Amino acid sequence: MVILAYNDGQYNFQTVERKWQNIWEKENTYRVPNRSEKPNYYVLEMFPYPSGALHMGHIRNYAIGDVVARLKTMSGYNVLHPMGWDAFGLPAENAAIQRGIHPVEWTRENIANMRSQQKRLGLSYDWEREVTTSDPEYYRWTQWMFLLMYNRGLAYKKLAPVNWCPTCQTVLANEQVSEGGCWRCGTPAVEKDLEQWFFRTTDYADRLLKDLDLLDGWPERVRTMQEHWIGKSEGTDVTFPLPGYENGITVFTTRADTLYGVTFMTLAPEHPLVTKLAQASPRKREIMAFVDKCRQESKIERAAADMEKEGMFLDSYCLNPLNGERIPIWVANYVLMDYGTGAVMGVPAHDQRDFEFARKYGLAIRVVITPPGTELQADDMTGAYVEPGILINSGPYNGLTNLEGLKRINAHLKDQGFGVPSVTYRLKDWLVSRQRYWGAPIPIIYCSHCGTVPVPETDLPVLLPEHIDFDPSLMSPLAHVAEFINTTCPKCSRPAQRETDTMDTFICSSWYYFRYSDPKNDRLPFSKEAAAAWLPVDQYIGGVEHAVMHLLYSRFFTKVLYDAGWVQKVEPFTNLLTQGMVIKDGHKMSKSKGNVVDPEEIIAKYGADTARLFILFASPPDKDLEWSDQGVEGSWRFLNRVWRLVKGLDVFGAIDDAHDQLSRADRDLRHKIHRTIKKVSEDVEDRFSLNTAIAAIMELVNEIYRYKDNVPSPDQNKALLKNALENVLLLLAPFAPHITAELWQQTGHTENIHDCAWPKWDETALEVEELTIVVQVNGKVRDRLVVAADSSSEEIEQLALTAPKVQPLLDNKQVDRIISVPGRLVNIVVRP
RNA sequence: GCGGAUGUGGCGGAACUGGCAGACGCGCUAGACUUAGGAUCUAGUGGGUAACGCCCUUGAGGGUUCGAGUCCCUCCGUCCGCACCA
């Protein structure tokens, strides 16, 4: 606080901010009813994981959301702006393991600290709606959601090879693994078979894809990412007969037109036929050793780009369904069991991967599509030919375009019973089981008589046991708590065992935005009326890192709840803003890089208003933001400039104003006021351009200073100045809520500034008396003309042609034509 | 490899529909006030040049146009996402 010792003229943000935060807290200013006479508006920032303290990314997220919330409130909406905690998850459990703190305690302390930080930011949350996902009153309904999925046939259990992180001792979904390692700790993932609960997201794949069209309030790039993630692919399931096996081998292909070019078949190492076929091979031992080797590499490693393609011949053959040709069957590491059918037909001439594989193992390459006019020779090829062309070596289909061939071959396959149209998605079912303590227990009971029995709704929540052994070597902590496991069957009352897996935390965050509409409901997750009053979220704001998983899962939940009749809309978030990262010295802020700026320090030194203002001013919200300590200083100076301006002008008392006519300076200032209102309103509401909105307010402040300094005191229009200052404060209020509230009160206003109406601009004040017209000759600016606003194009052109700086350039030249853009420029096009 | 961004002064960025490039802020320079300045105010600040003139300038090169940071083509750099998807 060195600065304050020097600067007696500066405003005391500590006092001001504390004062207003206390008032807002005491008066419950931001509590919002579900219904009022105003229209509802729901703005939501992605709720945080309570890691311990807020970082700059949080501040940015909340600052943006708070501007929207406050602006919408001033614009006459009943605004829901809630906050809560995504409180289940690994770090709490790791803290328990490493430091012996119980997750309940650790989470409670972190939330208390972060909530107090949020309060010191002056965010307009309705704290009465706060939710915490690790609270039994919340996870009770998360369990209810699981039962909803279960009862609708959308939750099921299967044995599946999963990514296993040896460090976290947990299963990782494919999408939770980055660069071959666990997304949390980086440990290389290995493969392991476990019985797991899944949600049938693939049942909704088509709707998740199609309804992206409804999301025109989302960034294009997020929709594209989801589209690629879902990865719809339309093709054919083609069955290759396999002597001795009734069902043959089925492959999924989008390229049935290349069927005559199949020279080998490849199976994934996990494919059930591999073991069977290997039994018949003299090299059985070798083959099984190869399969084992493949299975030890995790799926992630096998999917790596530079993975060497490897395979082995299985000493078996299947038959091409079109011509009965014998096709050798291989097992290959590049075929994935969980995409398509786990078997791929090898067409080396027209698929690059197959081409590489065939060249490596000396398999035949047969061209069946050739560019028109030439005939492609297999021996000359250096890569697969994947372009369209004309079918050759394809029996009755020779000479057709491959597209026409595709249609006819598909029809033929269908007739003969060898092929059915098929759609395959890249999207997988959602693995929701976690072998962890700190999550919502899956509400399932296993009874030796009744089998798998869901916990009755009336018995929810299934509570986490408090006393727990966090020995990290225990795969699943709950599996060691007898009083948790042992229960009675809800159906037959015999002794039975509970499921010991807990739920993926993405489930908790897939429905929290519904809970905010009715957070205290102890009979339902939320009432239909409350949800209908608020949902969908009008404006959702969060990091682009959630572009796929969280947003896709939330969309899935919303659709299921819609199908079950709980909600009226099929999409949860009407408008989405994905904010950019906060960068320092060119890199993302991270502890490992040592470039972290602690928000706590900034708020302590400059206050919340300055911190918020800088972070919003430094960059457009959807772009990355380069942190600058000096930039913060600039925002601090600006707020002080506003403070001094308002305090220094005595215009708020009884106004005895003799100015019944506006001077030129008055009219210019009035014009600037209304232009600023228009610009700020449009920048914020139409295009989220918060940085330019703040710049416009700064310009207005500069203009008021100029007026004050340049117009002699007796000539100053006090009513106008008062109006100017009031508008500055109103426009600035959503960005810097404390200082504006204080100045508003200090200038004699009794109403809270945040309850005032957002200012409206007056179109007549936007009209100008004079315009500056640029004069160009051959596209180069040569002069500027100040003309009356109502001048005609002809008048302006005449003035331009005779302008002193222009005329010499027209000597000995012929004027070809003159282009006039009204209100902007005149371009005189000349020839020598 | 595929997909998506993105490239503008010393720095963050502005220019919304093809019409004055560099708004606003930071930094810097000079001055004022001052015991002092890390406060405040004034003036200046893209580059070149003796020039209030003139020329150049939005990653590079071409093109369309009266006019291009903005549209089209080719290339280069940076960042992000996904990746054997049959």
Side-chain angles (χ1 to χ4, degrees):
Chain A
M1 272 6 73
V2 183
I3 287 173
L4 285 173
Y6 287 98
N7 302 330
D8 49 346
Q10 294 179 352
Y11 90 101
N12 186 330
F13 66 85
Q14 279 113 333
T15 314
V16 168
E17 293 189 354
R18 203 176 310 121
K19 168 184 163 181
W20 286 98
Q21 285 160 16
N22 287 341
I23 289 172
W24 297 334
E25 173 115 30
K26 198 156 38 167
E27 296 184 355
N28 229 328
T29 309
Y30 301 108
R31 182 171 50 190
V32 59
N34 277 355
R35 294 284 184 194
S36 79
E37 70 284 358
K38 299 175 191 168
N40 282 357
Y41 189 92
Y42 188 178
V43 54
L44 181 64
E45 299 111 56
M46 290 179 184
F47 69 165
Y49 178 77
S51 55
L54 297 181
H55 54 68
M56 281 302 173
H58 290 127
I59 312 291
R60 189 174 193 197
N61 193 189
Y62 308 148
I64 296 167
D66 205 44
V67 169
V68 176
R70 291 182 183 277
L71 181 94
K72 287 291 174 184
T73 302
M74 291 175 81
S75 303
Y77 290 89
N78 184 45
V79 173
L80 173 56
H81 186 213
M83 182 41 65
W85 309 96
D86 187 15
F88 274 136
L90 295 178
E93 213 156 330
N94 291 339
I97 294 166
Q98 287 157 15
R99 301 194 277 134
I101 307 170
H102 196 282
V104 170
E105 197 60 18
W106 187 84
T107 303
R108 200 182 54 75
E109 283 172 12
N110 287 349
I111 289 175
N113 184 48
M114 290 169 76
R115 188 197 293 118
S116 108
Q117 290 185 305
Q118 287 169 329
K119 289 191 175 175
R120 274 176 284 146
L121 278 168
L123 302 167
S124 60
Y125 296 133
D126 178 356
W127 285 105
E128 290 190 358
R129 292 178 186 259
E130 182 180 11
V131 301
T132 302
T133 61
S134 60
D135 186 335
E137 279 313 299
Y138 184 91
Y139 73 70
R140 168 184 182 178
W141 301 112
T142 303
Q143 292 170 336
W144 183 96
M145 293 288 165
F146 183 96
L147 295 177
L148 178 77
M149 295 289 174
Y150 183 84
N151 293 331
R152 297 183 68 79
L154 294 168
Y156 69 100
K157 225 180 170 187
K158 73 175 176 190
L159 188 68
V162 292
N163 299 307
W164 177 258
C165 173
T167 302
C168 300
Q169 290 286 296
T170 192
V171 173
L172 301 167
N174 227 358
E175 53 257 62
Q176 293 176 319
V177 178
S178 54
E179 288 165 21
C182 171
W183 69 330
R184 287 238 153 99
C185 69
T187 309
V190 296
E191 213 173 89
K192 186 178 169 108
D193 278 333
L194 286 175
E195 276 282 322
Q196 307 284 333
W197 283 98
F198 285 82
F199 284 169
R200 291 189 199 278
T201 40
T202 51
D203 278 12
Y204 282 74
D206 221 27
R207 286 165 68 186
L208 288 167
L209 181 66
K210 206 161 352 120
D211 288 352
L212 288 172
D213 290 345
L214 304 173
L215 300 177
D216 51 3
W218 283 36
E220 182 67 39
R221 106 191 123 128
V222 174
R223 285 186 292 172
T224 308
M225 283 167 84
Q226 293 218 350
E227 194 183 320
H228 290 331
W229 193 267
I230 295 164
K232 183 176 182 171
S233 178
E234 289 179 271
T236 316
D237 279 340
V238 181
T239 301
F240 286 62
L242 177 60
Y245 292 84
E246 208 184 317
N247 294 329
I249 300 175
T250 300
V251 301
F252 171 76
T253 182
T254 57
R255 294 299 305 275
D257 51 329
T258 63
L259 214 45
Y260 279 89
V262 175
T263 56
F264 59 95
M265 170 68 66
T266 46
L267 302 178
E270 295 88 350
H271 198 288
L273 269 175
V274 170
T275 315
K276 291 180 191 164
L277 294 175
Q279 299 305 315
S281 164
R283 297 181 303 145
K284 169 174 145 186
R285 217 174 281 251
E286 266 178 82
I287 294 169
M288 291 318 291
F290 173 74
V291 167
D292 284 346
K293 187 183 137 234
C294 291
R295 298 211 54 188
Q296 290 200 347
E297 296 160 348
S298 74
K299 279 186 293 191
I300 306 306
E301 286 168 19
R302 279 168 60 193
D306 45 7
M307 183 70 192
E308 178 72 17
K309 289 175 183 56
E310 287 186 66
M312 277 190 78
F313 181 40
L314 290 171
D315 294 311
S316 300
Y317 295 86
C318 58
L319 303 176
N320 188 319
L322 289 185
N323 57 9
E325 188 181 357
R326 274 181 17 128
I327 309 285
I329 306 172
W330 286 62
V331 55
N333 64 345
Y334 70 93
V335 181
L336 303 177
M337 190 60 213
D338 53 10
Y339 184 80
T341 61
V344 180
M345 62 184 207
V347 187
H350 305 291
D351 182 283
Q352 186 58 28
R353 293 174 309 268
D354 297 345
F355 182 85
E356 288 167 28
F357 192 75
R359 278 281 160 91
K360 175 166 178 176
Y361 291 104
L363 295 161
I365 297 175
R366 185 189 304 145
V367 175
V368 291
I369 298 173
T370 191
T374 61
E375 185 138 327
L376 213 54
Q377 295 301 320
D379 292 346
D380 306 337
M381 293 173 81
T382 55
Y385 178 76
V386 296
E387 306 298 314
I390 306 298
L391 290 175
I392 55 170
N393 298 324
S394 297
Y397 305 98
N398 284 340
L400 297 174
T401 65
N402 68 304
L403 263 150
E404 182 59 24
L406 179 66
K407 278 186 215 154
R408 298 217 198 159
I409 291 172
N410 273 332
H412 175 80
L413 287 169
K414 200 176 171 188
D415 286 349
Q416 302 295 309
F418 288 118
V420 288
S422 175
V423 177
T424 294
Y425 296 92
R426 183 187 173 278
L427 182 74
K428 297 174 187 120
D429 276 346
W430 176 9
L431 175 71
V432 298
S433 285
R434 295 292 181 272
Q435 290 68 41
R436 278 287 172 180
Y437 168 73
W438 197 232
I442 291 175
I444 290 288
I445 290 168
Y446 300 107
C447 169
S448 50
H449 289 82
C450 309
T452 301
V453 182
V455 174
E457 271 181 37
T458 48
D459 291 353
L460 297 180
V462 176
L463 288 169
L464 282 169
E466 264 181 58
H467 301 289
I468 189 89
D469 184 356
F470 286 108
D471 183 342
S473 68
L474 298 175
M475 181 178 116
S476 185
L478 290 180
H480 299 265
V481 184
E483 57 275 29
F484 175 80
I485 304 167
N486 296 316
T487 183
T488 53
C489 173
K491 272 192 188 161
C492 69
S493 300
R494 290 190 179 92
Q497 278 77 47
R498 289 192 190 280
E499 168 66 63
T500 58
D501 283 354
T502 52
M503 284 182 247
D504 178 7
T505 57
F506 274 116
I507 297 178
C508 309
S509 59
S510 291
W511 73 278
Y512 77 107
Y513 45 90
F514 290 113
R515 183 67 179 173
Y516 283 136
S517 71
D518 198 6
K520 301 248 164 47
N521 197 323
D522 59 3
R523 293 171 300 106
L524 299 170
F526 53 86
S527 75
K528 293 179 184 179
E529 294 72 29
W534 291 112
L535 274 288
V537 174
D538 292 285
Q539 183 65 58
Y540 198 34
I541 304 162
V544 73
E545 66 272 19
H546 294 296
V548 179
M549 283 188 280
H550 163 60
L551 291 170
L552 195 69
Y553 293 147
S554 295
R555 295 181 60 221
F556 167 70
F557 257 75
T558 301
K559 289 179 195 307
V560 174
L561 286 166
Y562 172 85
D563 290 349
W566 284 91
V567 301
Q568 299 174 2
K569 295 285 160 59
V570 294
E571 286 291 339
F573 313 120
T574 306
N575 295 294
L576 173 69
L577 176 75
T578 49
Q579 72 187 61
M581 288 184 296
V582 181
I583 303 285
K584 177 91 193 293
D585 310 323
H587 301 284
K588 185 179 176 166
M589 279 189 189
S590 73
K591 282 187 196 118
S592 58
K593 293 221 171 65
N595 60 349
V596 176
V597 178
D598 183 0
E600 194 85 41
E601 288 174 27
I602 301 300
I603 293 167
K605 193 168 173 189
Y606 300 101
D609 282 345
T610 296
R612 294 169 51 139
L613 193 71
F614 167 70
I615 221 164
L616 296 171
F617 176 62
S619 171
D622 59 331
K623 298 274 162 48
D624 287 351
L625 182 153
E626 175 74 31
W627 184 265
S628 153
D629 289 335
Q630 287 167 333
V632 179
E633 200 83 40
S635 294
W636 163 246
R637 283 206 289 258
F638 171 69
L639 290 180
N640 277 291
R641 220 164 123 75
V642 172
W643 180 268
R644 285 193 307 271
L645 181 64
V646 174
K647 301 280 281 180
L649 278 170
D650 181 25
V651 292
F652 289 94
I655 296 213
D656 172 22
D657 206 313
H659 302 256
D660 34 316
Q661 272 203 327
L662 295 180
S663 68
R664 176 58 195 262
D666 292 351
R667 294 197 301 274
D668 285 349
L669 179 57
R670 185 174 127 83
H671 176 76
K672 185 70 177 176
I673 293 167
H674 288 269
R675 247 187 36 209
T676 306
I677 295 171
K678 183 171 198 262
K679 174 146 180 71
V680 173
S681 303
E682 290 178 349
D683 278 2
V684 177
E685 299 223 47
D686 300 350
R687 51 192 201 114
F688 260 113
S689 187
L690 307 185
N691 53 331
T692 53
I694 294 168
I697 301 171
M698 289 173 168
E699 283 190 56
L700 175 57
V701 169
N702 292 345
E703 191 82 9
I704 299 170
Y705 264 101
R706 267 194 292 274
Y707 180 94
K708 172 183 86 101
D709 293 340
N710 296 338
V711 176
S713 194
D715 297 341
Q716 289 181 9
N717 185 329
K718 290 193 171 184
L720 181 66
L721 274 172
K722 177 180 181 218
N723 178 261
L725 295 180
E726 283 178 340
N727 277 307
V728 165
L729 293 178
L730 289 167
L731 294 175
L732 195 57
F735 300 92
H738 308 88
I739 189 173
T740 49
E742 179 66 16
L743 285 171
W744 195 253
Q745 189 187 57
Q746 287 199 22
T747 50
H749 300 86
T750 47
E751 193 186 14
N752 185 330
I753 191 169
H754 300 292
D755 295 331
C756 291
W758 184 250
K760 290 187 173 56
W761 67 89
D762 178 350
E763 285 291 344
T764 62
L766 296 178
E767 288 163 14
V768 288
E769 298 158 49
E770 293 179 334
L771 292 169
T772 302
I773 302 290
V774 166
V775 183
Q776 296 182 333
V777 177
N778 284 349
K780 284 193 196 297
V781 179
R782 297 301 178 183
D783 205 354
R784 293 177 174 81
L785 301 173
V786 176
V787 301
D790 56 0
S791 307
S792 70
S793 291
E794 290 73 24
E795 288 171 309
I796 294 170
E797 282 171 23
Q798 278 316 307
L799 278 170
L801 286 167
T802 54
K805 286 184 185 166
V806 171
Q807 255 198 331
L809 294 159
L810 304 182
D811 280 352
N812 308 320
K813 304 270 171 59
Q814 189 186 336
V815 175
D816 212 27
R817 57 170 156 155
I818 300 175
I819 289 159
S820 282
V821 180
R824 300 204 99 117
L825 61 71
V826 172
N827 187 11
I828 302 165
V829 184
V830 297
R831 275 188 309 195

